[in-house]
Amino acid sequence: MSNYKSVQSALISVFSKEGLEPLVRKLDELGVTLYSTGGTQKFISQLGINVVPVEHITSYPSILGGRVKTLHPKVFGGILNRQENTQDVAELTEYDIPQIDAVIVDLYPFEKTVASGANHQEIIEKIDIGGISLIRAAAKNYADVICVSSVDDYNDFLQLISSGDGLVSESDRKRFAAKAFDISSHYDTAIYNYFNADEASGSLKLSEAKHQVLRYGENPHQNGYFYGNFDALFTKLHGKELSYNNLLDVDAAVNLMNEFKGDAPTFAIMKHNNACGLAQRDTVHQAYLDALAGDPVSAFGGILISNTQIDSNTAEEIHKLFCEVVIAPSYSEAALEILKGKKNRILLIQKEVKLPKQIVRTCLNGMLVQDRDAITDTIDLLSYPTKNRPTDNELNDLLFASKICKHTKSNTIVLAKNNQLCASGTGQTSRVDALNQAIHKAKSFDFDLNGAVMASDAFFPFPDCVEIAHKAGISAVIQPGGSIKDQLSIDYCDTHDMAMVFTGKRHFKH
């Protein structure tokens, strides 16, 4: 039992008192001497439990409006002393410093204060100084002290001292120390990122406190994890746990559907991060049917997303299809009953939450960071280099196709007609290959491409794509422009009465 330590004294200084009472009562029952400050001291006293004010140890009151309470050698000496070190023990006696065996802290809620929209001074006052110092000191000296660093760990510590009659093993002290440094590093990262909002510093600091272990990664032989607060974005209503690949597809679906937020009912079917079907109609029911018609083969096992409530008629059609995930802002009660008919089908309600402004991915032995592609091609961004201008219907389809193109793997070509995705060529090494793939796929599902439009994620260095498109019946093209040989494509369009518009913005997606 030599690696066990008995908790005979505890310093408690917490922001959240939720769940603290049973812990304090248990410590008192075990005969533990309690030290505390401010509101925590008052809370314990009101429970009728004896508590020693920290000021009685330090002979200093809380000063500077509460900014300095525990920052004193008599406090930190009691935490940091090495009990196996005779010199340390002697100094405790010499300077009348009490031994502290447990430190219980819950930090000021800095992140919540920032998220609340509080002003700068209110945020500054929620930067915890004493608490973070207590955590670091106690965690460093885990050999002799146990550090409880969050309201989330009150109950864990309570169970520990209850089962061990106040004895705590070294392995548990080390486990709590790891949690403590997790808390402190995350807290400091949040503060740094607040101060570095303008990115004046070149350092990248990321910290996600919430995580879940996934069934596996991209393949069954790979481990997989998700770091982030999934519940902030979605309410999960039904189904199995989401997989690594599910999450990637959900991410792609949400980013794509954001382009159609507030529009007429729009439905998309995703497969391997690309839309295999998408349509916009007067009703969500028809939007789903026409999205499915885009590629009913690839839709099997796909991710479905709507920009509006899913009703029972739509749910009955969806229920005929094997799909992994369905996402919508809401569902009618009847729709939910139908969709819950498959026990593993994942049903999600998407909440109104802004996505991060930056995208981060690993690369070689580091990370790549870029701004999210926040530009959506709109009519006011267009230029008209060809003699033939698109009709209103063509212009509407061009912008519709461009939104899909932006969220499709490069190289890509998207074909659309009457607010419906006819087909796309995805992830090809050649833009010509992407176009030929899209045409072949559209024809295989009996789409009439006469009067359809084409969107490209990047410019055409040669006129071959507009020539192939024209011969397939496509009447209008949207592309970034910017090639030194743009004129070749313009000339072909002018000769064959095609309309082409330039957006001036490339939308590569790798």
Side-chain angles (χ1 to χ4, degrees):
M1 300 286 286
S2 60
N3 67 339
Y4 280 78
K5 295 283 184 178
S6 175
V7 177
Q8 298 180 26
S9 58
L11 171 60
I12 309 175
S13 180
V14 301
F15 178 82
S16 176
K17 315 300 188 294
E18 185 178 350
L20 184 62
E21 181 178 346
L23 176 55
V24 170
R25 290 196 183 281
K26 185 63 182 180
L27 290 169
D28 183 55
E29 178 188 319
L30 292 170
V32 176
T33 301
L34 303 181
Y35 302 97
S36 192
T37 63
T40 308
Q41 176 196 330
K42 182 178 180 181
F43 174 85
I44 296 171
S45 294
Q46 287 176 343
L47 295 176
I49 294 172
N50 188 47
V51 57
V52 180
V54 166
E55 291 91 329
H56 289 189
I57 302 171
T58 63
S59 299
Y60 270 92
S62 171
I63 61 173
L64 307 181
R67 281 190 165 197
V68 180
K69 291 179 282 191
T70 58
L71 295 169
H72 194 280
K74 283 197 171 185
V75 173
F76 282 84
I79 298 169
L80 285 166
N81 73 90
R82 295 155 291 186
Q83 293 176 25
E84 302 299 321
N85 186 300
T86 55
Q87 181 62 36
D88 283 8
V89 173
E91 289 181 0
L92 290 187
T93 302
E94 180 181 357
Y95 296 108
D96 194 24
I97 299 173
Q99 171 65 41
I100 297 174
D101 301 313
V103 170
I104 302 169
V105 174
D106 183 63
L107 299 171
Y108 292 157
F110 178 81
E111 288 180 282
K112 287 182 179 178
T113 304
V114 173
S116 73
N119 64 46
H120 179 68
Q121 191 55 44
E122 289 173 321
I123 291 170
I124 294 300
E125 291 305 319
K126 285 298 184 287
I127 297 177
D128 206 312
I129 303 300
I132 206 78
S133 302
L134 291 171
I135 285 174
R136 291 180 62 83
K140 174 180 179 176
N141 201 28
Y142 77 89
D144 293 310
V145 180
I146 185 162
C147 180
V148 181
S149 53
S150 166
V151 59
D152 296 332
D153 293 325
Y154 292 174
N155 189 60
D156 191 1
F157 181 53
L158 173 59
Q159 299 303 316
L160 202 63
I161 58 174
S162 297
S163 61
D165 199 28
L167 290 173
V168 181
S169 70
E170 184 176 13
S171 63
D172 282 323
R173 296 195 302 274
K174 188 174 182 180
R175 176 169 62 88
F176 272 76
K179 288 184 179 182
F181 284 119
D182 179 23
I183 292 289
S184 66
S185 64
H186 180 81
Y187 197 78
D188 284 341
T189 296
I191 295 169
Y192 165 77
N193 286 329
Y194 171 75
F195 277 90
N196 194 46
D198 60 357
E199 299 176 13
S201 168
S203 297
L204 171 67
K205 298 191 188 301
L206 303 173
S207 179
E208 287 292 347
K210 291 183 177 291
H211 78 283
Q212 64 187 88
V213 179
L214 305 175
R215 297 197 305 274
Y216 50 80
E218 204 160 7
N219 299 291
H221 61 275
Q222 296 170 268
N223 293 328
Y225 311 88
F226 174 71
Y227 290 89
N229 189 359
F230 185 83
D231 293 338
L233 286 173
F234 302 99
T235 299
K236 184 183 175 191
L237 302 176
H238 182 74
K240 63 182 180 181
E241 293 300 314
L242 283 96
S243 70
Y244 183 97
N245 291 331
N246 287 157
L247 288 166
L248 287 175
D249 281 328
V250 167
D251 177 72
V254 167
N255 280 285
L256 172 58
M257 196 52 71
N258 273 353
E259 301 287 346
F260 300 95
K261 187 175 181 180
D263 288 0
T266 306
F267 210 105
I269 303 173
M270 310 296 293
K271 197 69 175 288
H272 295 295
N273 306 160
N274 296 304
C276 61
L278 194 150
Q280 189 174 85
R281 294 291 183 259
D282 291 333
T283 66
V284 66
H285 177 251
Q286 195 60 49
Y288 168 72
L289 291 176
D290 289 349
L292 180 63
D295 187 347
V297 175
S298 296
F300 182 85
I303 307 294
L304 280 55
I305 186 168
S306 170
N307 72 342
T308 191
Q309 183 183 75
I310 292 179
D311 56 26
S312 59
N313 288 339
T314 309
E316 286 175 355
E317 295 295 335
I318 292 172
H319 194 57
K320 299 173 185 177
L321 174 72
F322 169 69
C323 59
E324 293 272 346
V325 183
V326 183
I327 309 166
S330 62
Y331 303 81
S332 71
E333 289 187 18
L336 271 181
E337 283 302 309
I338 295 166
L339 294 173
K340 287 180 178 179
K342 297 286 178 67
K343 68 175 184 178
N344 287 330
R345 180 185 286 143
I346 299 164
L347 304 178
L348 301 176
I349 289 179
Q350 184 181 347
K351 301 177 183 178
E352 288 284 338
V353 178
K354 288 184 178 180
L355 294 171
K357 294 180 180 179
Q358 292 185 319
I359 296 172
V360 182
R361 64 194 295 183
T362 59
C363 180
L364 300 175
N365 62 345
M367 287 179 281
L368 286 171
V369 181
Q370 67 170 347
D371 294 336
R372 184 177 296 278
D373 185 353
I375 293 177
T376 298
D377 295 329
T378 55
I379 194 168
D380 55 302
L381 297 177
L382 303 181
S383 61
Y384 303 86
T386 56
K387 295 176 182 177
N388 194 27
R389 289 174 70 101
T391 65
D392 289 345
N393 284 341
E394 286 173 335
L395 193 57
N396 185 63
D397 279 343
L398 288 169
L399 295 174
F400 174 85
S402 178
K403 291 177 180 180
I404 303 170
C405 191
K406 173 183 169 182
H407 294 277
T408 305
K409 295 288 186 181
S410 300
N411 287 314
T412 185
I413 292 288
V414 168
L415 307 180
K417 185 178 180 179
N418 298 327
N419 282 346
Q420 181 182 22
L421 172 63
C422 300
S424 57
T426 62
Q428 299 301 302
T429 54
S430 158
R431 202 161 303 283
V432 171
D433 288 345
L435 175 55
N436 284 328
Q437 181 191 52
I439 292 171
H440 172 77
K441 189 172 182 180
K443 289 181 176 179
S444 71
F445 292 114
D446 298 323
F447 280 99
D448 178 7
L449 292 180
N450 287 302
V453 305
M454 172 175 73
S456 174
D457 58 342
F459 62 61
F460 300 123
F462 304 102
D464 45 8
C465 281
V466 291
E467 180 179 354
I468 295 168
H470 170 252
K471 290 177 179 178
I474 290 161
S475 60
V477 179
I478 186 169
Q479 58 130 324
S483 168
I484 59 173
K485 296 183 178 180
D486 273 345
Q487 194 61 45
L488 295 177
S489 295
I490 295 169
D491 290 344
Y492 186 92
C493 289
D494 285 342
T495 302
H496 297 87
D497 296 323
M498 293 179 72
M500 183 164 62
V501 298
F502 287 169
T503 65
K505 300 295 179 183
R506 189 182 73 185
H507 294 294
F508 271 163
K509 187 171 187 287
H510 293 104

